[in-house]
Amino acid sequence: MAVVSNGTTIADAGSFSVGLGDMVHIKTLTASSSANLSFVHGTSSVVLDSTYPVYLFSWINCHPATNNVTFKAGFRDGGTNYDATVTSNSFNATADEAGTDAGLNYQNGRDLAQGTGGQDLTAFNGNQNDSATSGQMYLFDPSSTTYVKHFIITSQQMNPEAPFTTNSYHSGYCNVTAAIDGVQFSMSSGNIDSGTIKLYGIKDS
Amino acid sequence: MGLISNGTTLLDAGSLSVSAGAMTLLSTVTASSGDSTITFASSINSTYKEYIFKFIDVHLSANARLLVNFRDGSTDYDATKTTTFFEAYHYESDSSLSVGYVTDYDLAQSTGAHTLAYIGNGNDEASSGTLHLYDPASTTFVKNFMSVASCYHGSDLALQAHSGGYCNVTAAIDGVQFSANTGTIDAGVFKMYGVS
């Protein structure tokens, strides 16, 4: 590819590379009645290794097929299963639409103590037409074979039962020194009916 | 400007704008054993309205806290600050968990360093997180900052540290320095980005 200006060729030799900044889009997966959405290093153009020191997953309007389910993420640490051991913490801020109830609370049960079942991202997701969850997760240095692998999650959803808004915060670590080379998103029951999940790399240099 | 591929003109009408992205890496500092401080002393100015610092796998020589302080015109990192700090934690043993404010680690008009994270010094224990600094070149407003970090605490617990505050000065902030409250920074990567 080349560049010309007003008909004058400025460059026309081989490939042409344009830097798009230091937050690099790697992959977008779109749910369509999907049991899960998986980002696996080396598969379908996904990069999840030492190429970037920090990765950002961003999910946008993920809508479950089943009412009252939990949106989760599992981490793959060398095998084919998304079952890396995780210790994490969780708290959220909530407020109902009526303006009568609000609070900040630790979420016992949304955290993990050396658990392998995947990290909760948002709970009590409704399958009503206007209900969906959005949020983001930073995963730090997944290829490290020295340290545990830290993640920080912020998510937002409408809980349709009250209804109320829930702003959730989770962080923790995959308590393994094996590299993390895959992340899988799913609902605790039923499919992800719709929604988009994007993976970005934050450039190292 | 136009765009052609293998001699075939794809676009050649008027100007061609190429986005340079919204987040630009400005500097990377890698800690080596025994660093007492990690300092960003340049490139913090009016070029960007927001600066993001990422600290990755920071490992300290002692069970200690990672700190940050700010330079407000002189050579010292001692800008006056008022800050908040709260945390959530959960033990690997599932024996204890909580979310709450930590009065020991906030600051009230202090020139001392602000706590970002607690970190154990076991071989696999480290912390990673992000610090945002807003409009450091302003000479009108105080300079706000906020941080979140995931920490592997020395007591074998996952700790989520949230903090925020402001440098209560109208002088510009032109430097940021990380340190430990005791011991040294043995390892870790610190990156500074500008957000346009």
Side-chain angles (χ1 to χ4, degrees), chain A residues 1 32 38 46 50 56 70 75 86 91-92 97 100-101 104 125 136-137 141 150 154 170 172 185 190 196 203:
Chain A
M1 185 178 288
S32 177
S38 302
V46 170
S50 62
L56 171 63
T70 300
F75 303 90
V86 169
F91 66 93
N92 66 25
E97 292 184 4
T100 57
D101 188 23
L104 173 70
N125 292 282
Q136 62 180 30
M137 173 173 71
D141 201 8
H150 289 280
T154 306
H170 319 269
F185 296 84
T196 301
K203 269 189 180 176

Side-chain angles (χ1 to χ4, degrees), chain A residues 1-2 4 7 18 21-22 87-89 91 106 108 111-113 140-141 147 150 169 171-173 175 202-204, chain B residues 1-4 12 18 20 23-25 57 86 88-90 92 97-99 123 126 128 150 152 158 160 191 193:
Chain A
M1 185 178 288
V4 296
V18 178
D22 289 325
T87 291
S88 63
N89 52 61
F91 66 93
Y106 194 93
N108 192 3
D111 56 10
L112 293 170
F140 294 88
D141 201 8
Y147 299 114
H150 289 280
Y169 296 84
S171 80
Y173 47 82
N175 197 3
I202 309 297
K203 269 189 180 176
D204 193 32
Chain B
M1 184 179 285
L3 183 68
I4 60 174
D12 189 18
V18 177
M23 190 168 159
T24 302
L25 177 63
D57 287 344
F86 69 95
Y89 65 81
H90 184 209
E92 290 181 0
L97 50 83
S98 181
V99 60
N123 287 343
S128 297
S150 176
Y152 193 164
Q160 185 180 172
K191 292 177 174 293
Y193 300 85

Side-chain angles (χ1 to χ4, degrees), chain B residues 102-115:
Chain B
V102 183
T103 55
D104 287 348
Y105 299 121
D106 63 7
L107 299 174
Q109 295 297 89
S110 171
T111 58
H114 171 69
T115 295

Side-chain angles (χ1 to χ4, degrees), chain A residues 1-16 18-23 53-54 86-92 104-115 138 140-142 144 146-154 168-177 202-205, chain B residues 1-12 14 16 18-26 28 54-59 86-94 96-99 122-130 132 148-153 156-162 187-189 191 193:
Chain A
M1 185 178 288
V3 176
V4 296
S5 179
N6 289 329
T8 301
T9 301
I10 296 172
D12 187 15
S15 62
F16 179 59
V18 178
L20 293 176
D22 289 325
M23 181 169 155
V54 183
V86 169
T87 291
S88 63
N89 52 61
S90 175
F91 66 93
N92 66 25
L104 173 70
N105 295 288
Y106 194 93
Q107 292 299 298
N108 192 3
R110 302 296 163 205
D111 56 10
L112 293 170
Q114 300 295 84
Y138 284 98
F140 294 88
D141 201 8
S144 171
T146 301
Y147 299 114
V148 301
K149 264 59 76 179
H150 289 280
F151 57 81
I152 298 173
I153 299 163
T154 306
S168 298
Y169 296 84
H170 319 269
S171 80
Y173 47 82
C174 300
N175 197 3
V176 296
T177 51
I202 309 297
K203 269 189 180 176
D204 193 32
S205 60
Chain B
M1 184 179 285
L3 183 68
I4 60 174
S5 178
N6 289 329
T8 301
T9 300
L10 303 177
L11 297 169
D12 189 18
L16 175 67
V18 177
S19 170
M23 190 168 159
T24 302
L25 177 63
L26 301 175
T28 297
K54 291 196 176 292
F55 43 96
I56 302 158
D57 287 344
V58 175
H59 181 78
F86 69 95
E87 65 181 20
Y89 65 81
H90 184 209
Y91 279 74
E92 290 181 0
S93 63
D94 206 17
S96 182
L97 50 83
S98 181
V99 60
N123 287 343
D124 63 348
E125 294 174 346
S127 177
S128 297
T130 302
H132 296 254
V148 59
S150 176
C151 316
Y152 193 164
H153 191 280
D156 290 344
L157 59 92
L159 189 147
Q160 185 180 172
H162 287 259
V189 177
K191 292 177 174 293
Y193 300 85

Side-chain angles (χ1 to χ4, degrees), chain A residues 31 34-37 59 61-66 68-73 122 125-126 131-133 184-194:
Chain A
S34 306
N36 56 64
L37 294 178
W59 65 93
N61 285 342
C62 286
H63 176 80
T66 305
N68 203 18
V69 295
T70 300
F71 189 44
K72 304 167 73 76
T122 58
N125 292 282
S131 179
T133 176
Q184 184 176 78
F185 296 84
S186 62
M187 297 292 174
S188 57
S189 177
N191 290 335
I192 307 171
D193 249 6
S194 62

